[in-house]
């Protein structure tokens, strides 16, 4: 609510009216309910607090220096609810329900309530009992104006499925829930029962396609994480926390990557929990040559080698170089670092060193 409207409201109520931002715990401490909605009010001794907007974990309120009667609170709450719908002019009923649901998800993630089930009051709840594929989309530095909810939903549905739900979470961040039938539709072999590895490959392909669609349509940079199918009514909070962590780890350890898969960052998750001082000391003690990983050719060679499960022939194909050229580079690393990545133990050590080096020295 802008300053002019605050002044107009103050004149109507003959009282001072100011804006205030509270967290969920602060709202509860004042006597409010756990999951506040726009229009909810708390009458305190000298002031009345009313929620005018819910933005993730933040509650945007107005503080009225007066004691309001029940009727006044009811009328003002109704007016605030109508005003709250105005910024998303033309918003469909589905968008309103999705934003309300997104606010609840965000509040639950912030509160660490990973096992929270979707409450009955959520109008979307009946659509969340079937298997769905979760995507988390995080857009940054969009070249053009950020798409509206309707534009983004229409674009995504044109690629995945008409049954897809788009849930706004935080600024520039959306949860996309698509029917798990998208997997069998994307499977070229038409198998109705997909294996575990086959499912992961299809999920990765779908995320790649979605990324190309978004960047092709609006430019800029965006990151996408995708998880295995879930039943959202039971585990939507947990999967949002997992996918958010996956994007965080991917951006931290693999700069330049935009597709992030939870099953590929187990080691990164483990290393991320090690205190920075311990990580730095380990790197310094183990590095044969401090400048080894500053050579971009060495880093790209090792990244490709590990991504191909240490297979020399496949790595040479991936890098478009002759097999002997790759062997020469690996021998060079062995000579300079004293570690032969073709042996299991040394490969594990170099893999850890490379990951740690990326987050300890790239500052």
């Amino acid at each position: 609510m802008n300053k002019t409207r605050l002044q107009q409201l103050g004149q109507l109520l003959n009282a001072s009216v100011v804006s205030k931002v509270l967290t969920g715990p602060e709202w509860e401490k004042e006597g409010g309910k756990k999951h506040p909605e726009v229009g909810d009010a708390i009458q305190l001794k000298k002031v009345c607090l009313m929620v005018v907007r819910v933005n993730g974990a933040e509650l945007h309120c107005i503080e009225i220096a007066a004691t309001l009667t029940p009727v006044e609170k009811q009328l003002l709450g109704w007016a605030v609810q109508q005003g709250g719908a105005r910024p998303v002019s033309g918003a469909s009923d589905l968008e309103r329900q999705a934003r309300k649901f997104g606010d609840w998800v965000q509040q639950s993630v912030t509160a660490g309530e990973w096992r929270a089930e979707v409450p009955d009051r959520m109008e979307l709840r009946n659509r969340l009992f079937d298997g769905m594929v979760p995507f988390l989309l995080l857009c940054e530095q969009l070249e053009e104006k950020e798409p509206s909810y309707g534009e983004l939903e229409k674009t995504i549905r044109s690629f995945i499925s008409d049954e897809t739900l788009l849930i706004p979470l935080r600024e520039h961040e959306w949860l996309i829930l698509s029917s798990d039938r998208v997997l069998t539709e994307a499977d070229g072999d038409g198998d109705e029962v997909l294996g575990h590895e086959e499912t992961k490959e299809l999920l990765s392909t779908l995320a790649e396609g979605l990324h190309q669609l978004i960047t092709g349509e609006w430019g800029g940079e965006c990151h996408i994480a995708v998880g295995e199918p879930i039943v959202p009514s039971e585990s939507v909070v947990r999967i949002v926390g997992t996918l958010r962590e996956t994007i965080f780890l991917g951006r931290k350890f693999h700069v330049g990557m935009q597709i992030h898969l939870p099953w590929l960052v187990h080691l990164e998750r483990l290393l991320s929990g090690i205190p920075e001082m311990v990580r730095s000391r380990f790197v310094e003690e183990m590095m044969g040559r401090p400048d080894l990983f500053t050579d971009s050719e060495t880093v790209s060679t090792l990244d490709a080698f590990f991504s191909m499960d240490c297979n020399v022939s496949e790595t040479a194909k991936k890098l478009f170089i002759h097999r002997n050229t790759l062997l020469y580079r690996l021998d060079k690393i062995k000579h300079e670092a004293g570690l032969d990545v073709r042996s299991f133990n040394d490969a594990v050590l170099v893999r850890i060193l490379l990951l740690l080096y990326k987050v300890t020295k790239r500052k």
Side-chain angles (χ1 to χ4, degrees):
M1 192 174 287
N2 60 39
K3 199 171 181 178
T4 302
R5 294 188 68 188
L6 288 175
Q7 289 175 343
Q8 291 173 340
L9 182 59
Q11 289 171 356
L12 283 172
L13 297 171
N14 193 25
S16 169
V17 182
V18 296
S19 293
K20 196 168 187 178
V21 178
L22 298 178
T23 63
E26 288 172 338
W27 175 261
E28 285 186 73
K29 188 177 178 182
E30 297 291 357
K33 64 184 183 182
K34 192 168 186 178
H35 297 291
E37 299 174 4
V38 171
D40 285 355
I42 308 172
Q43 181 64 60
L44 303 175
K45 192 172 182 181
K46 294 182 178 178
V47 299
C48 180
L49 291 171
M50 180 167 285
V51 179
V52 295
R53 186 159 65 93
V54 179
N55 183 16
E58 292 183 343
L59 303 175
H60 294 254
C61 306
I62 52 174
E63 184 181 84
I64 306 161
T67 301
L68 301 186
T69 66
V71 173
E72 287 173 331
K73 276 193 292 186
Q74 195 171 353
L75 283 173
L76 185 56
W78 176 81
V80 165
Q81 287 172 349
Q82 303 310 306
R86 206 164 292 145
V88 285
S89 58
S92 64
D93 199 40
L94 178 61
E95 179 181 349
R96 180 186 60 76
Q97 295 175 18
R99 290 188 181 280
K100 185 177 177 182
F101 177 56
D103 287 338
W104 173 80
V105 172
Q106 174 60 23
Q107 288 177 31
S108 299
V109 171
T110 304
E113 298 171 345
W114 307 109
R115 297 184 179 180
E117 295 190 8
V118 178
D120 293 339
R121 67 176 185 279
M122 291 296 152
E123 294 159 276
L124 284 180
R125 187 170 184 267
N126 290 338
R127 299 183 59 177
L128 304 174
F129 285 95
D130 293 327
M132 302 184 92
V133 176
F135 299 86
L136 190 68
L137 169 64
L138 177 65
C139 289
E140 294 180 325
Q141 303 167 359
L142 291 172
E143 292 175 358
E144 304 295 335
K145 181 184 176 185
E146 183 170 312
S148 67
Y149 178 91
E151 291 171 329
L152 187 57
E153 183 198 32
K154 184 178 178 182
T155 301
I156 291 171
R157 286 188 173 197
S158 71
F159 174 69
I160 302 180
S161 166
D162 284 342
E163 299 174 59
T164 297
L165 289 175
L166 177 65
I167 313 294
L169 294 175
R170 298 185 295 194
E171 192 174 12
H172 309 311
E173 184 188 62
W174 296 269
L175 173 66
I176 300 164
L177 295 171
S178 183
S179 167
D180 58 6
R181 287 194 295 277
V182 71
L183 290 170
T184 50
E185 291 169 3
D187 179 27
D189 297 331
D191 296 336
E192 291 191 0
V193 180
L194 298 171
H196 198 213
E197 292 305 316
E198 196 176 9
T199 298
K200 288 180 178 177
E201 286 181 16
L202 283 174
L203 290 172
S204 176
T205 302
L206 286 170
E208 289 276 3
L210 192 56
H211 179 265
Q212 289 177 12
L213 181 73
I214 300 295
T215 53
E217 195 78 24
W218 287 286
E221 181 179 342
C222 76
H223 295 263
I224 293 180
V226 59
E228 296 183 70
I230 59 166
V231 176
S233 61
E234 300 172 355
S235 51
V236 67
V237 177
R238 177 187 57 76
I239 196 62
V240 168
T242 300
L243 295 182
R244 214 173 252 175
E245 182 190 40
T246 300
I247 290 181
F248 169 78
L249 292 171
R251 297 176 68 186
K252 183 177 181 181
F253 286 93
H254 304 288
V255 174
M257 289 181 62
Q258 276 81 44
I259 307 302
H260 309 283
L261 308 171
W263 50 89
L264 293 185
V265 292
H266 294 310
L267 182 58
E268 288 82 349
R269 185 176 294 112
L270 180 65
L271 297 178
S272 184
I274 300 174
E276 183 176 343
M277 184 182 296
V278 178
R279 294 200 304 250
S280 298
R281 191 175 67 194
F282 179 77
V283 171
E284 289 172 5
E285 289 175 356
M286 293 303 300
M287 291 284 285
R289 270 185 47 184
D291 61 340
L292 180 65
F293 293 144
T294 58
D295 177 13
S296 60
E297 182 181 89
T298 300
V299 173
S300 61
T301 299
L302 289 172
D303 279 338
F305 186 64
F306 293 131
S307 71
M308 292 291 105
D309 293 329
C310 302
N311 184 301
V312 172
S313 299
E314 293 301 320
T315 304
K317 287 181 187 175
K318 183 181 176 74
L319 293 172
F320 300 105
I321 60 176
H322 193 276
R323 191 173 188 276
N324 289 341
T325 304
L326 176 61
L327 291 174
Y328 167 77
R329 291 184 186 179
L330 298 182
D331 286 338
K332 184 182 172 188
I333 294 170
K334 179 182 177 182
H335 174 72
E336 294 176 346
L339 296 167
D340 184 359
V341 293
R342 283 164 291 186
S343 77
F344 176 77
N345 287 335
D346 284 359
V348 170
L349 201 53
V350 174
R351 172 82 168 130
I352 292 174
L353 275 171
L354 182 58
L355 288 173
L356 290 180
Y357 181 84
K358 287 179 179 179
V359 295
T360 55
K361 299 297 182 182
R362 195 191 52 233
K363 293 180 178 177

